Amino acid sequence: MGFPKQVRLVDVAPRDGLQNEPDAIATDTKLELIDRLANAGLRHIEAASFVSPKWVPQMADHREVMTRLQRRPGVTYSALTPNLKGLENALECGVDEVAVFGAASEAFSKKNINCTIAESLERFTPVLERAQQAGIRVRGYVSCVLGCPYEGEIAPARVAEVSKALFDMGCFEVSLGDTIGTGTPLKAKRMLEAVARDIPMDRLAAHFHDTYGQALANLYAVLEEGVAVIDSSVAGLGGCPYAKGAAGNVASEDVAYLLNGLGIEHGIDLDTLAATGDWITRTIGRPNRSKAGVALAAN
Ligand SMILES: CC(C)(COP(=O)([O-])OP(=O)([O-])OC[C@H]1O[C@@H](n2cnc3c(N)ncnc32)[C@H](O)[C@@H]1OP(=O)([O-])[O-])[C@@H](O)C(=O)NCCC(=O)NCCSC(=O)C[C@@](C)(O)CC(=O)[O-]
């Protein structure tokens, strides 16, 4: 299919990047991060997660984040909603878009959302119906598309099956998560080929973690196939609470730098984004995992 002309970046740092932080991060810091990302040109920001605070304490201030964030025109502020309760709360807070999250691994599904894959799909059905009523788009995540921390290898056919189920129930886009970052480019391409048999390429997103340093190479491989939506996290922040040792998402700065080199439009101001990565890592005391970000901040 060939490289897309334009890529939409979804910065997931305020949610995926911070959800695993053990110490409470001030709501004001989260709000400033969201606004700095918007100021850098991000038009899709995953701002919060309406999950149980017992499961993910760092996201317990989801209401405050979603209601207090400074809305900029043209920016979509989204949130995770695992069930109807999460969706209703998110709607009350004026969320623009929500996401349900399933997995291609039974074991991961049980650890992450406490139910089987089949039960999760049943649980998502009313979420999609209610969101549709409210005029809100729903994204579908599939975790463990290139490997599972509990089951190891995951067959591309399994990923395709769960992705199709989410797409068929009305998810406007399916984001393919390499949760533990064990994928490599050929594997990523094969998985994508299987999924793209049932879902148009322009409805697929790549959500790759960088645990083994393969995320950019994997992205290059799927960009070459035409994927035009990429999830990333400024400064490569993050990890998954239910995948021990998993590193953060691919860094947004590194993706923007790669896209610049490929001549693919993305609408981000790289210097402003790098300054945001520098600021948030200093503020929360985490290393900056973006190579481009560190290089630019040193200039
Ligand atoms: C799904 C549940 C809630 C099931 O958890 P459960 O314990 O089976 O749910 P439940 O319905 O039995 O409820 C238990 C308690 O949670 C409350 N509750 C129930 N729902 C909500 C809600 N929405 N918001 C707030 N509270 C809620 C509910 O009210 C009740 O409270 P209690 O009566 O005990 O006081 C739980 O497992 C959960 O919250 N899991 C979230 C896990 C999570 O956030 N994981 C990280 C995000 S996924 C990810 O990072 C992967 C991704 C997306 O990035 C892609 C990739 O990289 O692979």
Side-chain angles (χ1 to χ4, degrees):
M1 191 168 169
F3 291 112
K5 286 199 167 59
Q6 200 173 14
V7 156
R8 174 158 62 86
L9 281 182
V10 179
D11 202 296
V12 296
R15 193 279 300 173
D16 209 347
L18 300 184
Q19 68 184 7
N20 208 28
E21 285 297 322
D23 298 327
I25 295 169
T27 305
D28 284 347
T29 302
K30 295 178 184 178
L31 292 168
E32 184 168 347
L33 172 61
I34 293 165
D35 203 53
R36 281 180 181 250
L37 290 171
N39 186 45
L42 266 306
R43 289 297 164 262
H44 289 81
I45 301 171
E46 202 169 70
S49 185
F50 286 78
V51 296
S52 162
K54 286 184 190 147
W55 285 67
V56 185
Q58 187 61 251
M59 294 286 113
D61 58 351
H62 44 229
R63 273 181 179 277
E64 221 188 327
V65 169
M66 195 48 78
T67 48
R68 283 185 53 207
L69 60 81
Q70 200 186 325
R71 289 177 182 278
R72 292 182 184 231
V75 180
T76 298
Y77 300 95
S78 63
L80 296 193
T81 54
N83 50 21
L84 261 184
K85 182 181 173 110
L87 176 65
E88 292 297 352
N89 291 342
L91 288 174
E92 275 173 30
C93 299
V95 74
D96 296 327
E97 182 184 300
V98 298
V100 293
F101 48 104
S105 147
E106 282 295 353
F108 188 84
S109 180
K110 287 192 191 126
K111 294 270 184 198
N112 195 35
I113 50 174
N114 204 24
C115 62
T116 64
I117 296 171
E119 285 163 351
S120 74
L121 296 173
E122 270 174 42
R123 193 184 281 176
F124 298 154
T125 304
V127 175
L128 273 124
E129 284 168 2
R130 176 72 185 97
Q132 206 167 18
Q133 251 178 27
I136 295 283
R137 295 201 303 182
V138 183
R139 185 180 221 218
Y141 275 106
V142 182
S143 284
C144 301
V145 301
L146 296 172
C148 168
Y150 313 105
E151 292 181 10
E153 290 292 316
I154 298 290
R158 189 67 176 135
V159 180
E161 198 183 324
V162 179
S163 302
K164 183 175 185 314
L166 289 172
F167 189 66
D168 287 350
M169 72 170 62
C171 290
F172 80 97
E173 179 171 283
V174 176
S175 177
L176 301 163
D178 182 11
T179 315
I180 50 170
T182 48
T184 47
L186 199 54
K187 215 167 148 184
K189 254 185 189 180
R190 290 198 177 127
M191 179 277 296
L192 181 69
E193 268 163 29
V195 176
R197 277 184 211 123
D198 299 312
I199 303 177
M201 199 61 88
D202 63 2
R203 301 301 189 91
L204 295 172
H207 178 106
F208 296 162
H209 286 254
D210 201 29
T211 318
Y212 288 81
Q214 303 294 300
L216 272 186
N218 295 343
L219 279 180
Y220 186 88
V222 300
L223 278 166
E224 225 174 0
E225 300 299 307
V227 164
V229 185
I230 295 176
D231 297 355
S232 59
S233 173
V234 71
L237 291 176
C240 177
Y242 301 100
K244 277 205 175 99
N249 291 87
V250 66
S252 306
E253 302 91 311
D254 295 349
V255 177
Y257 187 82
L258 172 73
L259 296 175
N260 284 348
L262 289 168
I264 298 174
E265 283 172 37
H266 52 73
I268 311 292
D269 183 297
L270 186 48
D271 288 329
T272 309
L273 186 62
T276 301
D278 185 52
W279 167 78
I280 187 65
T281 48
R282 285 174 195 275
T283 304
I284 67 171
R286 286 281 160 204
N288 190 335
R289 295 224 164 79
S290 166
K291 294 223 163 165
V294 169
L296 287 165
N299 284 329

